[in-house]
Amino acid sequence: MDAEQWIEFLQMEEHPEGGYYKSSFTSEDGMDFQSHKGERPLYTSIYFLLRSQDLSHFHRLKSDELWYYHAGSALTVHIIDEDGAYRQERLGIAIVDGEKPQVLVPKGSIFGSTVDREDGFSLVGCMVAPGFDYNDFELFTQKQLKADYPQHEEIIERLAYTELP
């Protein structure tokens, strides 16, 4: 299947950070967490699809996010951790080439993703715990990130918005 078939089959919609998504699971159990305002489900999960012409722009969550590879090309997750260190994680199944079928993005990290294969797409799953809520979601502009992380100017210019949508 190609990207458009997956988008249609899974009834995905555009995500504010870029790409397409569809909520797949939300825990029926919830609780209050000290790090979050109000009750959150224990976990939430989505399908996320990114095409090579799309970007998942730099954003941050107050929760851990675990990514799972499903189909298509490998995906690169670009992460600036809370200490300001930058790293890339390749999400895919070519383990001998350094890809991983699961990647954890720790809470508080700034991250985005790309499909590096031209004319490719990647279908992944993302589980957030405690569960995702837009109140815990933060998008960034290039200006904001360059002020804090000037050493990562090149990747910031690639993955951060010039202006927020």
Side-chain angles (χ1 to χ4, degrees):
M1 289 178 45
D2 65 21
E4 280 63 35
Q5 290 169 315
W6 280 111
I7 292 167
E8 182 180 337
F9 179 77
L10 294 174
Q11 300 176 341
M12 301 175 95
E13 55 189 85
E14 290 186 38
H15 197 292
E17 80 193 45
Y20 296 84
Y21 80 104
K22 173 69 174 183
S23 178
S24 54
F25 297 101
T26 299
S27 171
E28 292 180 11
D29 296 323
M31 64 183 293
D32 288 321
F33 295 87
Q34 289 181 344
S35 57
H36 298 68
K37 291 181 181 175
E39 186 176 278
R40 296 287 183 272
L42 295 181
Y43 66 86
T44 56
S45 185
I46 65 168
Y47 291 111
F48 183 68
L49 186 138
L50 200 63
R51 302 170 302 176
S52 56
Q53 68 265 33
D54 301 324
L55 295 174
S56 168
H57 291 84
F58 272 136
H59 60 288
R60 177 170 47 206
L61 300 178
K62 290 183 179 180
S63 300
D64 289 340
E65 184 166 36
L66 191 55
W67 292 54
Y68 302 89
Y69 173 83
H70 290 310
S73 304
L75 180 109
T76 300
V77 183
H78 304 267
I79 303 167
I80 301 173
D81 68 24
E82 288 188 295
D83 294 327
Y86 169 75
R87 73 178 189 283
Q88 296 179 14
E89 297 281 355
R90 299 267 303 152
L91 186 65
I93 55 172
I95 295 171
V96 295
D97 295 329
E99 296 174 6
K100 300 173 184 177
Q102 298 179 14
V103 169
L104 175 67
V105 177
K107 66 182 177 185
S109 298
I110 295 166
F111 65 105
S113 57
T114 57
V115 175
D116 297 323
R117 183 174 156 223
E118 192 174 315
D119 296 326
F121 75 93
S122 185
L123 175 66
V124 302
C126 301
M127 188 191 79
V128 176
F132 179 82
D133 185 293
Y134 274 106
N135 290 317
D136 306 329
F137 176 79
E138 187 178 7
L139 280 171
F140 295 95
T141 65
Q142 292 178 9
K143 183 178 178 181
Q144 289 172 303
L145 293 179
K146 285 180 187 179
D148 291 334
Y149 309 105
Q151 70 274 31
H152 305 309
E153 181 176 358
E154 185 177 331
I155 193 63
I156 289 169
E157 287 182 355
R158 182 173 178 206
L159 292 182
Y161 284 108
T162 51
E163 293 181 11
L164 293 179

